[in-house]
Amino acid sequence: MTKAEKFNLYADTLYGMCRKVQDTVPEACVRFECNTFSFEGLGRYRAIFVSITTFDGTIKYYDVCETLNDMEEKFESAKTVLNNLLLDAPCPYCEKGEEN
């Protein structure tokens, strides 16, 4: 898998997780952004920016850039935080069961 293909997979995964968090955890504010940069010396590259405002008001920023060596580690850390938000969310089916 090329680095560009891997970046596309990471972008799809993080975007889907951000949408899921937005739908599931309304208390958390999640922002997903994907930008393309072009520099004369570096060429053209893409980067993903994810910012997460958690329940206690702290803001965490994650950037996944296809030209950096730590692209995989940054992707995994952003994915872990988004996954933890989804795991900590209240179960919508449990709430419906308690109302009946």
Side-chain angles (χ1 to χ4, degrees), residues 14 48-52 60-64 74-75 77-79 81-82:
L14 290 177
I48 302 166
F49 301 101
V50 176
S51 67
I52 303 167
K60 296 180 182 178
Y61 299 99
Y62 300 92
D63 60 328
V64 179
K74 294 203 174 192
F75 166 72
S77 61
K79 182 178 150 187
V81 170
L82 290 169

Side-chain angles (χ1 to χ4, degrees), residues 1-11 45-46 48 64-73:
M1 181 179 290
T2 66
K3 204 160 194 172
E5 291 171 336
K6 196 179 283 191
F7 179 84
N8 289 338
L9 178 68
Y10 291 169
Y45 64 93
R46 298 171 295 170
I48 302 166
V64 179
C65 182
E66 68 180 337
T67 59
L68 298 178
N69 293 334
D70 61 349
M71 180 175 75
E72 289 84 11
E73 291 97 22

Side-chain angles (χ1 to χ4, degrees), residues 14 17 75-87:
L14 290 177
M17 291 183 80
F75 166 72
E76 287 297 328
S77 61
K79 182 178 150 187
T80 300
V81 170
L82 290 169
N83 197 33
N84 286 340
L85 283 172
L86 289 170
L87 289 173

